[in-house]
Amino acid sequence: MPPMTTNAATDPMIGRMIDQRYRVRSRIARGGMATVYLATDVRLERRVAIKIMHGHLADDQAFRERFIQEARSAARLSHPNLVGVYDQGAEDDTAYIVMEYIPGITLRDLLQEHRALTPEQATDILRAVLAGLASAHRAGIVHRDLKPENVLLADDGRIKLGDFGLARATTANTATGAALLGTIAYLSPELVTRGAADSRSDIYALGIMLYEMLTGEQPYKGDQPMQIAYQHANDTVPLPSAVEPGVPPELDDLVAWATARDPEDRPRDAREMLDHVSGHQQRATGQYRTAVLRPENATAILPAGGSSSSAVESTDASGPADATRVIASSTGGAPAAPARRGAPGPRRTGAHPGALSPAGQRLADRSAKRRKRGWIALAIVVVLAILAGVVGWALGPGPWGNVRIPEVTGKSVTQARQLLQAQGLRPDARTDTRYDAVVAKGQVSTTKPAAEREVRKGTAVQIVVSDGPRMIPLPAIVGQPLSTVTAALDDDFQLQDDQYEFSADAPEDTVIAAKGLAADGQTVDLSSVREYGERGPVTLTVSLGPVPDVTGKTVEEATAVLDGVGLTVGAQQERYDDAVPKGQVISSEVEDSPAVKGSAVDLVVSRGPTPIALPDVAGKTINEATSTLENLGLEVSVPDCKNVLCRFYDWKASLPVTATDPVQGSTVYRGDTITLSYEQ
């Protein structure tokens, strides 16, 4: 996103050189934990984004650990749709992270400019975010703060997901403690109620983002954050088409699937949702169907007019001033007695004293017609109410009612048929099959229509049986570089955490073994099979290279070498060695086989040459003494005989030794020189 307008006067970080490498240029954005700046890496001459933790948080160990955790979490990930992390460090108690700089805008900026996006635009952005998030989920990382502000739209068309500041490993305890982390508008129900998050919590946030992209507004609103949190925990996210009628049914279904309140009803992770969006399986199984909506019962409201009626008419030909008001009785009797206003009442005519005047008769006839119409209207209302009740019963608990298709995944075909029949549905006699990397072969994979769809009672439902995972040919694994093997397996299988061990036969970072799991749970040596089930777990064993040879090094030097590769020094023995100087390592041996990081290496350390107590050779001939001492590894020196007689016989074989230098009993070592004395 473009840098914010600011200068060194308002932000002292601008213009500062960090770690003698990163020169801060301008501010990009500011968040709750840190501020992001545009900087120049003067060493590599490139623009980077550097996130610097707020100074007031420097003394808070929890925030520092969370900040460092973001760098480590993001650095483990490498994907075209994720913002790359280059470096992390601290200077003057200020922690920072160096990231890839993405010139462009955020998804929030795009929504503020255009409000709602077209279904095609929303789907393209969703697919890119899912691709990057799938890489994070595969590495065991949960983002926990998905929102439009963290989706970056580069000027060159790239779409990247960033800001793993709240990321946590899925294997870690993800309870948030006293406060909820993440933006309240995108929090999943389980994060609100239990404070726990996993990959399905990210899926919920994506569903809310998709709703917002399609409609231009968030599904829940409130004056207080707790009002919105309460709606997340207790309400069902409405369909986008209720706000934007042009939204296709497929995207309605996708939003409903991703924002299900029960995490078990959502996609397991971003990879499953991405496969669904891409249509790899849905084209074959017909998963996308137009939703059937239950019609609302309508009630006709009729005007009430049959209970009473009245008429006003002037009966005096002289004018309206002395008019007499006649009110017709609601029981159908004769008109009530006139209410006089100082003028005579209606005139009686003919010989019958009770007869009404022509005007009064007209009023009476009119009242009778009105009473008749009132009774007819009342009868119509009663009949309509009865019909509405019958129709409501038929459309509710009756034979025309709507029901939800139960979830039967993982059950046997017989159990699935029984559950469908119990709901008033009609299981299709024919079953279909499809590859399923999760559900065991022979068990129910899904239904057509899919579970949780609302349909009429009696609707035919086809059961789709799992044919097990699709078998995929395996590439060459053993003996190949780890990066090559990972790239070849990543799209089709679930790579587990690599195992590392030392090997004298394989260079460092070379795969030396690969294991998987068979359908019965037994371990499979993947180097001995040609194909393996799709999405099956794969554990790679990687060589750390040979154990370093520390022969001839001092104990301190050997310890430093072994620590450098993750090994420790175990037991130490000392022995005399005439060839290895004192204090140096004669030999080493690893206690574990195979050796792994943390294994101990036992050392044999030289005590120097073997000491020898000089024997007593006095009285022996020079030749005998010389032989005795040389057999002990000693050198012998004999002074020349200066007596003339020595020239005429073998004096070394005859003359006895009188003394030695050093004297007998002295401690000497192999190679030392002993001088013999004798009488000439």
Side-chain angles (χ1 to χ4, degrees), residues 500-503 544-548 550 558-559 561-571 588-603:
Y500 290 84
E501 63 183 49
F502 291 90
S503 173
L544 291 170
V547 175
V550 294
T559 300
V561 170
L562 295 175
D563 283 345
V565 295
L567 297 171
T568 62
V569 174
S588 61
E589 183 178 0
V590 184
E591 296 179 357
D592 300 329
S593 181
V596 297
K597 285 190 176 182
S599 293
V601 179
D602 297 335
L603 303 179

Side-chain angles (χ1 to χ4, degrees), residues 124-141:
D124 288 343
I125 294 175
L126 176 67
R127 185 181 291 109
V129 175
L130 280 171
L133 189 61
S135 176
H137 286 177
R138 184 165 52 249
I141 301 298

Side-chain angles (χ1 to χ4, degrees), residues 207-484:
I208 300 296
M209 286 175 54
L210 178 57
Y211 180 97
E212 190 173 359
M213 286 190 287
L214 294 171
T215 65
E217 61 185 33
Q218 296 170 352
Y220 300 135
K221 301 178 179 66
D223 297 330
Q224 300 296 328
M226 288 308 299
Q227 295 175 336
I228 300 176
Y230 179 86
Q231 294 176 77
H232 279 293
N234 296 277
D235 295 344
T236 299
V237 175
L239 298 179
S241 60
V243 178
E244 290 289 337
V247 174
E250 292 86 353
L251 294 183
D252 273 347
D253 294 345
L254 195 60
V255 171
W257 187 28
T259 60
R261 275 189 294 174
D262 188 347
E264 296 296 332
D265 295 336
R266 300 178 208 146
R268 293 185 302 273
D269 53 22
R271 167 58 63 182
E272 181 178 0
M273 189 171 178
L274 178 60
D275 291 343
H276 190 91
V277 173
S278 300
H280 294 318
Q281 296 176 347
Q282 284 67 23
R283 294 191 185 96
T285 61
Q287 190 101 4
Y288 283 137
R289 300 286 298 269
T290 301
V292 179
L293 302 180
R294 180 177 178 179
E296 298 291 339
N297 293 330
T299 302
I301 301 177
L302 301 179
S307 60
S308 64
S309 60
S310 63
V312 178
E313 183 175 349
S314 174
T315 59
D316 190 346
S318 63
D322 293 328
T324 300
R325 177 169 300 182
V326 180
I327 303 177
S329 170
S330 63
T331 59
R340 297 187 177 273
R341 300 172 57 188
R347 297 178 182 177
R348 307 285 181 176
T349 60
H352 302 285
L356 295 175
S357 66
Q361 187 63 43
R362 286 195 302 272
L363 288 175
D365 293 342
R366 189 174 301 172
S367 297
K369 290 180 180 178
R370 289 176 177 170
R371 286 196 301 273
K372 183 177 180 180
R373 285 198 300 269
W375 282 108
I376 293 174
L378 178 60
I380 292 174
V381 170
V382 171
V383 170
L384 290 176
I386 294 174
L387 289 175
V390 172
V391 172
W393 170 82
L395 295 177
W400 299 342
N402 289 358
V403 295
R404 289 187 180 274
I405 298 176
E407 179 61 70
V408 295
T409 298
K411 301 188 181 299
S412 67
V413 175
T414 302
Q415 292 173 327
R417 291 185 185 277
Q418 292 173 349
L419 289 173
L420 293 173
Q421 290 172 347
Q423 289 292 99
L425 300 168
R426 179 167 54 86
D428 198 319
R430 297 174 301 172
T431 60
D432 196 2
T433 60
R434 75 167 183 178
Y435 291 116
D436 195 309
V438 178
V439 180
K441 185 176 182 179
Q443 295 180 343
V444 176
S445 174
T446 186
T447 56
K448 299 179 183 179
E452 300 303 322
R453 297 289 181 86
E454 193 172 87
V455 297
R456 290 285 179 86
K457 287 184 177 180
T459 297
V461 178
Q462 187 178 32
I463 296 173
V464 180
V465 181
S466 170
D467 204 17
R470 179 167 57 94
M471 302 304 290
I472 298 177
L474 289 171
I477 298 178
V478 175
Q480 301 297 315
L482 175 62
S483 58
T484 302

